[in-house]
DNA sequence: CTGTTAGCGCATTCAA
DNA sequence: TTGAATGCGCTAACAG
């Protein structure tokens, strides 16, 4: 069945379409009786305005785009939850742009940030290149980077380096000297540098403590629980295995815990583990980890964006996402220290 | 900056807009030289067609709506992952309708299933009422229910009752006689009956084994790990506590495991636990559970929908989502049996 | 207070 | 092979 249009409503109510539009949007005063008639016609025809028509006419889409790389990773889903919790109460629609490959990444940056497609854009965990930035600028779409940074865009960055350094310092304070890093590849093809940053924080902590940074204690692989497990197994088979492991993410930390379990190693007795993110299952796993306030970062991201849509702001805001070390039960002093 | 329109391209290329449209959509033959000029103009202006214009003109939105209740629950995120994995390779956009309250539920069913808004609809875990169904029918939008059923809609239902019964039979086979149920409220305000079904499977298994169904062994609460933990604590304090617990979901099963841990109970030595869903962390928690093939159900849902959009199908298809009991390490014979 | 009209950007006819 | 005109459904400006 063909949906009713504003013309159908107008005819049924015996008014012009301008009047119908007026009652729909409260855009100008309407006589009470007339309004009632219109309202009745709307109800009888079960009329809901066609968004494309409205968008075309207003130049506003009432849609917010969310760009999410690696939707498979729990941390991204948690951020998205934060976004949804706010959007549900607004009258914006959300359209999701999932990015799993570099091709997709580029396609999204090329096509998405445009007037007429979306009113605002949230980008998770991706650092725009200069080309990307120029496109966004040209598109003139309010944009917020969550867990990302660009000097000329509104961003909610995370100070990865410091957070990681603190996490490793916690291990050092417990007396660990042999601390390994299990993480993502340092140069990911998407142009982020999260793993690089976290590794840097790790290195800085060790350097500050006068400890060597051993290459065999650095294991990099695809962001995945199983790969982390494999890498950990290798680490544990080293002649001089680490007594603690700092990981790039909770997801990988879980792989580390599995490896320890495979080997019959007690955590934290024989091995301490620190994660990163504080995804929901970190609590269940009693994992000591760096809390990124994922849900909250999604909330803050949309709130900023919604505000930007209403009150455009030229000078980019930069609000650091707060971070804290949550000490649970996977860290303890090394056994024979 | 204002984005280029098809007119800008036409002017720049020195052709009519019809020609531009033709090269854009390959809708009619275009002289090679002309096409090249148009293509160049498109590139120079960085032109991308405005979707609203296209939608309005074609009556197709190239958008698929996904209705997701309780996005906070991991199982839903996993289904969505399945959907995204397919959509990323198509040229459809995804818009997300999150449902957390009954009001939202009704609003979504009222406004969303309409021509001009979306080309297809996937609904997770919600059973349409007759009103909902009539709206969908009237909207004439291809619709697929995932983990839901309606006799006149395409559905991918799950046979909860049987799956739950098998799960409990596994516990019975191990020798358990005192089996409790921890789950959602039996009547949820959204009109689903998942908890009811799973409880029914549980009851049937007990009845078949000639065992009584004890009301103090039935604990119902809000779908949440913490509430499940509380309920379990009560259960364990009973004069005659259960030796096994079947839960409505993995999420709740994790709460049960936490409670056991709180009490210093060994799982499965002192308490066996069976979950439902097989979310990703179930594997980590080594939880015996009913696998719902969540990711796969999302994949199947969109694939069916995409197909329906192309080849409309009146007679509703009904494809049961397969289910299997995954036995891991949270179930064992009761200690003193 | 309200009806009529122009125009948003596009695909698609109808002519040429 | 192509340009011009029409209409998709709507909002907003204009005119009463």
């Amino acid at each position: 069945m063909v949906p009713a249009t504003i013309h159908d409503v107008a005819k049924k109510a015996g008014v012009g379409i301008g009047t119908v539009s007026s009652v729909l949007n409260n855009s100008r005063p309407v006589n009470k009786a007339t309004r009632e008639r219109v309202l009745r016609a709307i109800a009888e025809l079960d009329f809901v305005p066609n968004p494309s028509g409205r968008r075309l006419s207003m130049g506003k889409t009432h849609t917010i785009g969310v760009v999410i790389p690696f939707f498979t990773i729990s941390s991204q889903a948690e951020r998205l939850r934060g976004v949804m919790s706010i959007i549900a109460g607004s009258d914006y629609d959300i359209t999701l742009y999932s990015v799993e490959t570099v091709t997709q990444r580029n396609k999204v940056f090329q096509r998405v940030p445009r007037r007429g497609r979306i009113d605002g854009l949230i980008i998770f965990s991706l650092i725009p290149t200069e080309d990307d930035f120029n496109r966004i600028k040209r598109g003139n779409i309010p944009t917020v980077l969550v867990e990302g940074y660009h000097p000329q865009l509104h961003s909610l960055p995370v100070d990865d380096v410091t957070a990681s350094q603190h996490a490793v310092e916690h291990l050092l304070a417990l007396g660990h000297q042999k601390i390994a890093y299990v993480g993502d590849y340092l140069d990911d093809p998407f142009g982020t540098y999260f793993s690089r940053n976290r590794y840097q924080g790790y290195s800085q902590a060790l350097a500050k403590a006068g400890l060597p940074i051993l290459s065999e204690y650095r294991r990099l692989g695809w962001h995945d629980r199983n790969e982390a497990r494999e890498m950990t197994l290798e680490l544990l088979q080293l002649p001089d295995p680490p007594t603690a492991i700092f990981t790039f993410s909770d997801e990988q930390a879980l792989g580390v815990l599995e490896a320890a379990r495979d080997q019959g190693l007690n955590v934290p007795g024989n091995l301490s583990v620190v994660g990163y993110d504080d995804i929901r299952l970190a609590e269940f796993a009693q994992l000591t980890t760096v809390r990124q306030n994922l849900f909250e970062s999604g909330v803050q991201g949309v709130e900023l964006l919604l505000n930007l849509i209403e009150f455009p702001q030229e000078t980019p805001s930069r609000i650091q996402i707060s971070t804290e070390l949550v000490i649970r039960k996977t860290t303890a002093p090394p056994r024979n220290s």
Side-chain angles (χ1 to χ4, degrees), chain A residues 209-286:
Chain A
L211 257 24
I213 292 148
L214 304 174
S215 64
E216 67 265 38
Y217 277 3
R218 184 180 89 183
R219 300 287 160 156
L220 309 174
W222 183 241
H223 192 158
D224 169 276
R225 207 174 66 214
N226 285 324
E227 272 209 34
R229 188 211 296 235
E230 305 284 317
M231 294 192 279
T232 305
L233 255 19
E234 291 171 20
L235 236 24
L236 296 176
Q237 248 117 57
L238 246 30
D240 190 23
T243 62
I245 298 180
F246 171 61
T247 63
F248 171 79
S249 72
D250 287 351
E251 195 97 14
Q252 290 176 309
L254 295 180
V256 173
L257 292 179
E258 286 180 329
R261 192 165 60 192
D262 288 354
Q263 297 290 299
L265 279 186
N266 177 272
V267 173
N270 301 312
L271 183 72
S272 284
V273 181
V274 178
Y276 200 107
D277 284 342
D278 197 29
I279 58 180
R280 296 162 94 221
L281 52 146
E283 190 196 348
F284 173 78
Q286 302 188 302

Side-chain angles (χ1 to χ4, degrees), chain A residues 304-320:
Chain A
L304 174 57
L305 183 61
L306 257 21
N307 193 55
L308 248 31
I309 290 173
E310 215 172 343
F311 312 104
Q313 193 82 39
E314 264 312 311
T315 62
S317 48
R318 174 184 181 168
I319 306 162
Q320 194 112 308

Side-chain angles (χ1 to χ4, degrees), chain A residues 127 160 181-203 213-215 217-223 231 246-248 252:
Chain A
I127 312 290
D160 273 343
Y181 177 80
V182 167
D184 257 26
Y185 295 111
L186 263 27
D187 299 289
D188 87 308
F190 294 85
T192 69
Y193 24 77
F194 301 114
S195 186
R196 182 171 294 283
N197 286 346
R198 294 177 199 175
Y199 180 69
Q200 187 187 330
Y202 157 87
S203 305
I213 292 148
L214 304 174
S215 64
Y217 277 3
R218 184 180 89 183
R219 300 287 160 156
L220 309 174
W222 183 241
H223 192 158
M231 294 192 279
F246 171 61
T247 63
F248 171 79
Q252 290 176 309

Side-chain angles (χ1 to χ4, degrees), chain A residues 49-61:
Chain A
N50 177 317
S52 294
R54 172 172 264 170
R55 283 168 190 169
L56 200 51
S57 173
M58 296 200 300
K60 287 206 58 180
T61 62

Side-chain angles (χ1 to χ4, degrees), chain A residues 135-170:
Chain A
R135 279 232 160 69
I136 293 172
K137 222 48 207 166
R138 194 137 31 85
N140 192 23
I141 295 292
T143 299
V144 171
L145 264 33
V146 173
E147 197 196 24
Y149 177 69
H150 188 283
Q152 296 169 80
L153 291 172
H154 302 275
S155 350
L156 302 182
V158 177
D159 185 355
D160 273 343
V161 180
T162 307
S164 302
Q165 182 173 336
H166 288 339
V168 174
E169 282 168 355
H170 162 63

